[in-house]
Amino acid sequence: MRWEPRGPQDVRVAVEQMARETELASDGDCLSLAVVEPGTGTVIGQVELVLLSAEHLQGEIGCVFHPAHQGKGFATEAAFAVLRLGFDALGLRRVIGRCHADNAASAGLLERLGMRREARFIGTEFFKGAWRDDLVYAMLRQEWARGDDG
């Protein structure tokens, strides 16, 4: 996570902001979608699609899940749905995903989605007392359509 834990009021403000984001029309727009556990209706995570460039048809996928619900396939299923939205419904040409280089679970998710690792950025930001490295993964529309990983 690129932010510190939030208190109840900060969470309320963030959720209200996400609820107002309903389309990807301009660079920086974000669609945030709640992931709900089947059978219980409990929100267990979030996936999002950010429009990085309307001109160049580029987006970015992201997700966050409660630790108790990780490793059960929910993130993979939800992220595939967001890629389908980006490529099939919105006509994006390229979608990226980024994660902390030490986050093997997130890197594994991006690889399961069929995204290819394109870069490792060294020392991208100072966070929680240390410099962090980031991995960048990407997929092009034609790779999505073929169903391969590059």
Side-chain angles (χ1 to χ4, degrees):
M1 305 298 291
R2 294 179 183 266
W3 58 82
E4 295 292 339
R6 297 174 175 162
Q9 181 58 29
D10 292 331
V11 169
R12 194 171 358 275
V13 169
V15 169
E16 289 170 358
Q17 172 64 34
M18 287 183 253
R20 287 191 297 273
E21 298 170 333
T22 59
E23 64 179 341
L24 296 179
S26 301
D27 294 1
D29 286 355
C30 178
L31 290 177
S32 296
L33 307 169
V35 179
V36 178
E37 183 177 40
T40 69
T42 302
V43 175
I44 59 171
Q46 166 200 344
V47 291
E48 65 183 24
L49 182 63
V50 179
L51 182 60
L52 296 179
S53 173
E55 178 183 2
H56 301 290
L57 303 172
Q58 294 189 43
E60 179 174 359
I61 189 172
C63 69
V64 60
F65 279 78
H66 187 284
H69 300 281
Q70 294 174 358
K72 299 179 180 180
F74 294 121
T76 303
E77 181 179 352
F80 265 120
V82 170
L83 284 176
R84 188 177 311 111
L85 172 68
F87 288 122
D88 296 344
L90 301 174
L92 294 179
R93 182 188 156 277
R94 175 182 166 84
V95 175
I96 69 163
R98 294 183 286 175
C99 67
H100 188 294
D102 293 336
N103 189 336
S106 289
L109 168 63
L110 295 170
E111 291 168 6
R112 280 192 305 282
L113 294 173
M115 300 179 93
R116 92 190 95 64
R117 183 171 146 186
E118 290 191 334
R120 180 184 183 118
F121 293 115
I122 308 299
T124 55
E125 67 182 342
F126 192 76
F127 188 67
K128 295 184 179 181
W131 286 100
R132 68 178 272 158
D133 296 353
D134 284 327
L135 301 177
V136 178
Y137 288 79
M139 177 182 278
L140 297 173
R141 183 185 310 142
Q142 62 263 31
E143 295 166 328
W144 169 258
R146 287 193 311 256
D148 65 21
D149 60 2

